[in-house]
Amino acid sequence: MKRVSTLAVAALITLSVVSSSYAIAGLGFHWGFDYSLSMEGVEGEKVGIPPDMSDLPEDVQGALTGKDFITVSRTNWRRSAINFGGKAYIDFIPVIEAIEVSCNFGLWQYDGSLSYADFSAAGLQYIANNGKLRYTNVPLTTESAGLSYIGLDGTPYAKLQLDATVRKTIVDFWIVKLSGGAGVSSHFATPLLTARLVEDVVGPKLRDPAALEGLLKPGGSVSKDIVQKIIAEAMGKPVVGMHILLGVKAKLPVVPIGLYADGKYMIPFTKYDSDAGDKSINGFGLLLNAGLSLSI
């Protein structure tokens, strides 16, 4: 009888270890380090709306003829420390072994600005004295517009990434497993500051030099409208692509909590912002996630 009891206890312990080591489902929460996005700086992108010069002095009209009235620049791309997400997975699928869905939300920023012909009283006097235009540069950042956006002070760029992945164990070291896989990705991002975005927001105001007076100081009405447009359109048309994954996870038997790290190489199929043309966001690169998992 004692022997039977001992065998029963041993069987239960073994079953517990096996079921905990090879969990059938789980959740994960991670912090990300996204190096997949980059942006080539652009200066002097022409906004294609000519001003209405009918009410301007002839010498001003002459100085403006053939010149760029207003241009857009975006430089100094940089990644913020904010990038987090989670995942849910089923870890007991025949042949392919595991299926998971995951997400990451990350923030970047850059220095966006407008440069436009100055038609203030001082600007008109400059034209009269020098026979040429003087341009005013206006930053289009959250700091200059007096807006708060999750600790950023530049022109904001946010991305929500959704992934579906199939993965299979490559090497099993008992408590440590190395796995590989691939899957599809969808990226939802804010628009870049482009000439087209400025045209959409400001529209006919760009034809009236007097209407641009709000741009003469940081936080003016026009510049604030442009920054708010960027923030408001964080969930536009998704960028579709794929990713290749290499991951490692560590979990002790019986203990449901483990550690994991996943590296994904992102391969987008479409542009992040078609209005930016060849100067759009480059989305090829590495995303690293590290976090805690909870298995059942």
Side-chain angles (χ1 to χ4, degrees):
M1 184 66 180
K2 183 177 180 180
R3 184 178 179 181
V4 173
S5 299
T6 302
L7 290 173
V9 171
L12 288 174
I13 293 174
T14 301
L15 179 61
S16 176
V17 170
V18 171
S19 62
S20 297
S21 299
Y22 299 91
I24 61 173
L27 300 173
F29 305 93
H30 53 249
W31 198 261
F33 304 87
D34 195 335
Y35 302 97
S36 67
L37 299 188
S38 61
M39 182 193 74
E40 182 181 349
V42 174
E43 296 188 58
E45 180 180 286
K46 183 177 180 180
V47 177
I49 297 180
D52 180 2
M53 298 187 293
S54 59
D55 293 332
L56 297 177
E58 290 186 5
D59 55 348
V60 175
Q61 295 184 34
L64 188 60
T65 301
K67 301 292 180 61
D68 291 340
F69 171 52
I70 185 168
T71 62
V72 172
S73 297
R74 50 185 186 273
T75 59
N76 193 24
W77 176 263
R78 52 201 185 274
R79 180 176 59 89
S80 82
I82 299 176
N83 194 297
F84 58 89
K87 66 179 179 178
Y89 58 89
I90 300 175
D91 207 12
F92 198 75
I93 305 296
V95 184
I96 61 175
E97 190 172 314
I99 297 177
E100 70 178 35
V101 292
S102 62
C103 66
N104 276 73
F105 176 77
L107 294 176
W108 291 257
Q109 58 184 329
Y110 56 96
D111 297 330
S113 64
L114 287 181
S115 181
Y116 68 97
D118 183 359
F119 294 114
S120 65
L124 294 176
Q125 186 62 48
Y126 183 87
I127 294 172
N129 295 337
N130 299 278
K132 60 182 180 180
L133 289 170
R134 183 175 73 175
Y135 287 85
T136 296
N137 185 266
V138 179
L140 293 178
T141 63
T142 54
E143 182 179 45
S144 66
L147 300 173
S148 176
Y149 190 67
I150 320 180
L152 302 186
D153 56 7
T155 307
Y157 192 87
K159 184 187 75 165
L160 174 64
Q161 174 178 325
L162 304 175
D163 297 330
T165 311
V166 295
R167 59 194 298 167
K168 187 176 183 65
T169 299
I170 300 172
V171 181
D172 189 344
F173 293 111
W174 183 50
I175 65 171
V176 177
K177 291 183 180 181
L178 180 67
S179 61
V184 295
S185 302
S186 292
H187 310 264
F188 298 85
T190 53
L192 284 171
L193 174 63
T194 62
R196 176 63 181 273
L197 185 139
V198 173
E199 293 168 10
D200 289 345
V201 174
V202 186
K205 291 182 181 179
L206 290 175
R207 298 183 183 276
D208 181 5
L212 294 176
E213 188 174 352
L215 281 171
L216 295 176
K217 60 182 185 299
S221 60
V222 176
S223 59
K224 185 176 291 187
D225 287 346
I226 294 172
V227 176
Q228 287 178 328
K229 172 78 168 180
I230 293 173
I231 295 173
E233 294 196 356
M235 294 297 164
K237 184 178 179 180
V239 175
V240 179
M242 66 170 290
H243 60 272
I244 301 170
L245 177 143
L246 185 64
V248 61
K249 65 179 179 179
K251 189 180 78 66
L252 291 169
V254 182
V255 179
I257 297 176
L259 301 174
Y260 69 90
D262 292 329
K264 298 177 181 178
Y265 188 81
M266 312 309 303
I267 305 172
F269 297 153
T270 55
K271 288 184 178 181
Y272 272 81
D273 196 322
S274 58
D275 290 336
D278 294 337
K279 302 295 185 180
S280 185
I281 293 288
N282 174 35
F284 291 84
L286 188 63
L287 166 65
L288 300 175
N289 288 324
L292 295 174
S293 63
L294 178 64
S295 303
I296 57 173

